[in-house]
Amino acid sequence: MYKVALGAVLLLFIHMWVKEVLREEENNEKRKEGLLSIISTDGELQKQIDIIRKCRPNIRRK
């Protein structure tokens, strides 16, 4: 009898662990998408700054 209960508890812990791993993977994917969005926005902003610098050469880089 105790073997059945132990097996059930073990399956419950495995289920909870898999659920947590999947949740963490989803969070990592969202973080990755956010970072890629920031990088993309930064690249576009840098292009606009470069265009402005061509028009106004007195703007310096830091």
Side-chain angles (χ1 to χ4, degrees):
M1 184 71 174
Y2 72 92
K3 289 181 182 181
V4 173
L6 183 61
V9 170
L10 183 61
L11 284 175
L12 178 65
F13 281 124
I14 291 172
H15 172 75
M16 290 170 53
W17 177 73
V18 168
K19 200 172 179 181
E20 182 64 30
V21 168
L22 292 175
R23 185 180 304 128
E24 192 65 33
E25 283 294 319
E26 185 179 331
N27 288 341
N28 287 343
E29 190 63 32
K30 287 179 183 177
R31 239 181 251 125
K32 180 182 174 183
E33 289 172 3
L35 288 173
L36 290 175
S37 174
I38 291 170
I39 290 170
S40 168
T41 303
D42 184 55
E44 292 170 11
L45 182 60
Q46 196 61 44
K47 287 177 187 175
Q48 291 176 357
I49 291 171
D50 290 341
I51 291 170
I52 293 170
R53 283 192 181 120
K54 288 179 184 177
C55 296
R56 295 190 58 188
N58 60 340
I59 298 176
R60 296 182 297 168
R61 288 186 176 218
K62 289 185 176 184

